[in-house]
Amino acid sequence: MTDDDFIDLRSDTVTRPSDAMRDAAATAEVGDDVYRDDPTVNELERRAAEAVGTEAALYVPSGTMANQIAVRVHTDPGQELLLDRESHIYRWELGGAATLSGVQTRPVDAGARCVPTAERVRAETVTEDLHRPGTGLLALENTHNYRGGLAVPVDRIDAAAAAAHEGGVPVHLDGARVFNAAVALGVDASEIVAPVDSVTFCLSKGLGAPVGSILAGETAFIEEARRVRKLFGGGMRQAGMIAAPGLLALETVDRLADDHANAERLAAGLDAIDGVDAAEPDTNIVVADTESAGVAASDLVAACEERGVGCVEFDAHTARFTTHRDVDADDIDIAVERVDDVIADLTA
């Protein structure tokens, strides 16, 4: 099987830069970004802040680094980070809060809402005393990766953030796919971000840039974040070469609706396969449950790869399929046919 035959639905991070992005990288005006001399990075940060309605923004190599910088800036060592137990920061960032910031994570179950209710935030917020660390930060996520790319309504973000602020606790939003949420909800990204103190979003997922994420917030926060970025090894030099595609990526937000439509098509096709359950997605992530078929997710992922479809294991019987710019409706139909064959073989 050639690479051209492989339909890669593992993640929207697998997108290849467009020809225009490659040209932009090759011709970008550059300088030393640590000295703030890179005009392309400076412009990207300005436009990124504008896109989410914040005072300032910082360009960083990855979303994980952006989240961990936010944790470090918002908290003091020995404090507590309150977050959903299925959040990306908790599940997939290697215990970074403890390792890099000396912060204890305390997960709560936000359930299908994806963010804790205001009442839950108030109940879980802890004041520092002789025996307990104080709550130093509340982290939310939108869209919520593990919960199937669910687009969290603005009022839920607002309620949770307001409750945290009542207790003097800042709020960070892991908005890796916040523009997917904005498109799905029919609102501007700035509305989703308005209730929180900082936000991360990725340029290298659905927006299609090859490298980089943004951390945005108030100017004073970003100034401290810039110092922490250097501490974490994220200070970059002639970074305009990778920032230039990011500028083009910011112009592709409306196109995310195509990914959502393809995800709906994919979910419907997978759900029609005997033994597979796939709920209609909010955005570009489809979670397929194969427990009814008696098929382990690990077996499904391995067999799909052999048949030319990329997906990733979530749990024992769930796998994630993610649509993106590099797959179209025809690819989706072919992928469904291949998964159907895989399930038939694994249950024969």
Side-chain angles (χ1 to χ4, degrees):
M1 178 176 296
T2 67
D3 289 342
D4 289 341
D5 292 329
F6 190 76
I7 300 170
D8 198 344
L9 299 170
R10 290 174 299 169
S11 176
D12 43 10
T13 60
V14 304
T15 53
R16 305 295 178 89
S18 65
D19 289 343
M21 287 182 177
R22 293 176 187 272
D23 290 342
T27 60
E29 188 178 357
V30 299
D32 191 321
D33 181 48
V34 171
Y35 293 122
R36 305 195 191 188
D37 290 341
D38 192 304
T40 307
V41 173
N42 293 343
E43 177 63 9
L44 174 61
E45 290 175 344
R46 185 192 69 78
R47 286 180 48 191
E50 185 179 78
V52 291
T54 61
E55 290 181 353
L58 181 69
Y59 183 48
V60 301
S62 73
T64 293
M65 180 180 281
N67 282 334
Q68 293 304 324
I69 291 172
V71 173
R72 177 72 176 236
V73 175
H74 281 304
T75 64
D76 295 322
Q79 286 189 314
E80 193 170 71
L81 168 60
L82 190 66
L83 73 181
D84 174 42
R85 71 177 188 181
E86 306 295 0
S87 65
H88 191 279
I89 292 176
Y90 185 68
R91 285 184 67 102
W92 288 304
E93 296 190 10
L94 297 172
T99 304
L100 300 171
S101 300
V103 173
Q104 172 176 290
T105 51
R106 183 155 61 88
V108 299
D109 185 3
R113 290 178 55 89
C114 296
V115 300
T117 64
E119 292 75 19
R120 187 71 183 274
V121 172
R122 294 187 188 99
E124 299 290 350
T125 298
V126 177
T127 301
E128 179 182 353
D129 62 22
L130 183 62
H131 303 285
R132 299 193 66 177
T135 304
L137 179 65
L138 170 67
L140 307 175
E141 186 172 333
N142 198 14
T143 66
H144 199 295
N145 181 10
Y146 180 79
R147 299 188 191 277
L150 191 145
V152 183
V154 176
D155 61 343
R156 294 185 188 176
I157 299 288
D158 192 16
H165 290 152
E166 288 172 14
V169 175
V171 182
H172 172 67
L173 178 65
D174 177 359
R177 297 181 176 90
V178 72
F179 291 107
N180 290 90
V183 169
L185 296 170
V187 301
D188 192 86
S190 62
E191 293 184 45
I192 298 173
V193 173
V196 304
D197 300 285
S198 61
V199 63
T200 296
F201 68 83
C202 292
L203 298 165
S204 57
K205 290 187 168 71
L207 300 184
V211 181
S213 290
I214 295 292
L215 176 62
E218 293 183 351
T219 300
F221 170 84
I222 293 300
E223 287 304 302
E224 181 60 22
R226 189 177 299 275
R227 186 172 184 275
V228 175
R229 183 187 69 172
K230 187 70 162 59
L231 173 67
F232 287 179
M236 298 178 284
R237 302 303 178 176
Q238 287 71 41
M241 296 185 71
I242 54 174
L247 283 166
L248 296 180
L250 288 174
E251 299 173 0
T252 68
V253 170
D254 291 344
R255 194 213 55 77
L256 295 174
D258 297 337
D259 295 343
H260 299 176
N262 283 331
E264 291 178 9
R265 188 183 188 96
L266 175 62
L270 294 177
D271 195 60
I273 298 172
D274 191 28
V276 178
D277 296 309
E280 182 177 346
D282 277 0
T283 56
N284 68 322
I285 293 175
V286 176
V287 177
D289 189 313
T290 55
E291 186 170 10
S292 296
V295 173
S298 57
D299 293 335
L300 175 71
V301 171
C304 281
E305 183 175 6
E306 290 181 1
R307 293 293 183 92
V309 177
C311 56
V312 296
E313 180 181 353
F314 253 13
D315 280 320
H317 292 96
T318 57
R320 186 189 75 175
F321 297 76
T322 307
T323 59
H324 51 79
R325 186 186 64 196
D326 291 352
V327 294
D328 58 22
D330 290 340
D331 294 322
I332 296 302
D333 292 343
I334 294 170
V336 170
E337 291 176 3
R338 292 177 180 177
V339 175
D340 193 3
D341 289 342
V342 165
I343 294 295
D345 288 346
L346 291 175
T347 57

